[in-house]
Amino acid sequence: MTAPKIFGIAGWKNSGKTGLAVRLVTEFTRRGYRISTIKHAHHDFDIDKVGADSYRHRQAGAHEVTIVSGTRYAIMHELRGAPEPVFEEILARLAPCDLVLIEGYKREPIPKIEARRLEAANREPLAPSDPHICAIAADHAVTDTALPVFDLDDTVAIADFIAGIVGLAQATA
């Protein structure tokens, strides 16, 4: 099995990462590609509601809880004190696809674009200290870099750039 093509979106809190990720998924899907995403959260999170059957299964101590319906399935894996899985372990669990977009994991050695917004919690640039950042997408002028700079909202140009970087073949769909 060939390793999936991966591309990351890095940036500080409120830098526009999620909005860009969502627009890129929409654009690549429109082009006929199968896209998967991995989002890293720096905090405790929950995807099922208190009182739901799956929540009750987890609270009872289940190691993994799988919810299945006619439209989707989700597997929740409780770490129960074990260390957070490394990036490669998470990547290995995904079904085959054309491209995996990674939101967060800003320290992983993968090709990525840095999202920057004036409203970000931290405006210190990541690019100067991360050789894996190959472009910047910003909502303001960026002049202190030799990297390609995109308007944060220019989804088509950013998608074209990513497709070129990862070598995404023409979609067959």
Side-chain angles (χ1 to χ4, degrees):
M1 188 176 107
T2 61
K5 295 180 184 317
I6 58 176
F7 195 89
I9 301 167
W12 299 108
K13 183 178 173 68
N14 296 324
S15 63
K17 296 183 304 292
T18 300
L20 179 56
V22 168
R23 292 190 306 274
L24 286 169
V25 169
T26 300
E27 176 62 20
F28 281 122
T29 301
R30 184 191 66 74
R31 295 180 185 192
Y33 295 106
R34 284 180 51 154
I35 305 300
S36 292
T37 63
I38 297 175
K39 157 97 172 135
H40 187 261
H42 286 285
H43 46 79
D44 192 20
F45 69 94
D46 220 330
I47 63 169
D48 59 350
K49 298 180 197 72
V50 172
D53 292 349
S54 58
Y55 178 89
R56 293 173 62 200
H57 293 197
R58 285 191 308 119
Q59 289 303 108
H63 180 63
E64 284 192 332
V65 177
T66 305
I67 309 168
V68 183
S69 76
T71 54
R72 74 185 55 88
Y73 73 90
I75 300 173
M76 287 174 284
H77 182 100
E78 286 294 318
L79 293 175
R80 305 269 181 227
E84 179 179 318
V86 296
F87 178 73
E88 289 76 16
E89 289 176 73
I90 299 300
L91 201 56
R93 287 180 153 257
L94 295 181
C97 62
D98 297 309
L99 174 66
V100 181
L101 285 174
I102 312 298
E103 181 185 340
Y105 284 102
K106 68 167 128 334
R107 304 290 179 223
E108 281 300 315
I110 60 171
K112 57 187 92 106
I113 190 165
E114 179 182 350
R116 295 184 186 175
R117 284 179 56 215
L118 291 173
E119 295 82 25
N122 181 338
R123 302 233 316 263
E124 182 182 337
L126 296 172
S129 60
D130 185 344
H132 301 285
I133 292 176
C134 46
I136 296 166
D139 70 350
H140 57 280
V142 176
T143 56
D144 59 344
T145 183
L147 295 174
V149 177
F150 296 93
D151 183 294
L152 189 58
D153 293 323
D154 193 351
T155 309
V156 171
I158 295 169
D160 290 344
F161 177 79
I162 292 170
I165 291 289
V166 302
L168 208 52
Q170 192 65 34
T172 54

